[in-house]
Amino acid sequence: MATIPPYVSEGAAAGQAAEMKIHKLMWLTVGNGKLLELADYVVDIDGQIDIVVYKGNLHIRIELLDQDAEADAGPCRLQLNAHVDENASYAVKNDALTVSATIKQKSATVGLSRDDHGKKTKCVMTGFLDITCWLEAKEN
């Protein structure tokens, strides 16, 4: 269904710090961030990442504009860093929430899903940035 919390790690909460990781032969921490906002129809993640294809800020904000928990597709707003598509769309399929947008005249997608038995949020970005990373809550 089209609310955001089922597609982010279990127990995630606004204000929570997270590590950004990639998986090659082992898990590597490549950045840090914070879950600024998490509600049924909005997620806002802000952080820094340093990987081969990109180094810098990584700010992702997704807003499901129809606010319909029963929908499996609809309109949304996607922000990737300073770039915004007010006319993006989302779809729920194969246990992932995927947002499709146009960023800098390129097709872009952001997919969110739970991974590692719900302990991590898998974030797959293509188009504007081609990155697959996992967000994991930091240990206190």
Side-chain angles (χ1 to χ4, degrees):
M1 292 294 122
T3 59
I4 293 172
Y7 304 100
V8 298
S9 61
E10 294 174 7
Q16 187 174 47
E19 292 180 331
M20 293 182 187
K21 299 183 175 210
I22 59 171
H23 191 261
K24 295 299 177 187
L25 295 174
M26 64 183 119
W27 288 106
L28 301 170
T29 300
V30 294
N32 292 291
K34 190 169 192 175
L35 185 57
L36 300 177
E37 186 175 356
L38 178 62
D40 282 348
Y41 306 109
V42 64
V43 62
D44 194 348
I45 303 163
D46 192 37
Q48 298 280 323
I49 192 166
D50 185 357
I51 58 176
V52 173
V53 296
Y54 180 76
K55 179 180 180 176
N57 295 333
L58 184 59
H59 186 175
I60 303 168
R61 182 176 177 89
I62 298 171
E63 298 175 55
L64 306 183
L65 300 176
D66 59 355
Q67 297 190 1
D68 182 355
E70 300 302 315
D72 58 7
C76 71
R77 177 183 187 271
L78 173 65
Q79 177 179 351
L80 285 175
N81 292 341
H83 307 284
V84 178
D85 185 347
E86 301 281 353
N87 299 302
S89 62
Y90 74 87
V92 173
K93 186 176 178 184
N94 299 329
D95 296 323
L97 173 69
T98 302
V99 174
S100 299
T102 301
I103 303 289
K104 294 176 76 172
Q105 293 81 41
K106 290 178 74 175
S107 294
T109 63
V110 174
L112 298 177
S113 60
R114 284 186 179 172
D115 201 11
D116 194 19
H117 306 287
K119 293 184 243 173
K120 294 180 180 72
T121 303
K122 183 177 182 180
C123 185
V124 179
M125 294 169 282
T126 60
F128 174 65
L129 295 171
D130 290 325
I131 300 171
T132 299
C133 65
W134 287 258
L135 303 171
E136 182 177 41
K138 275 189 177 181
E139 298 289 327
N140 289 335

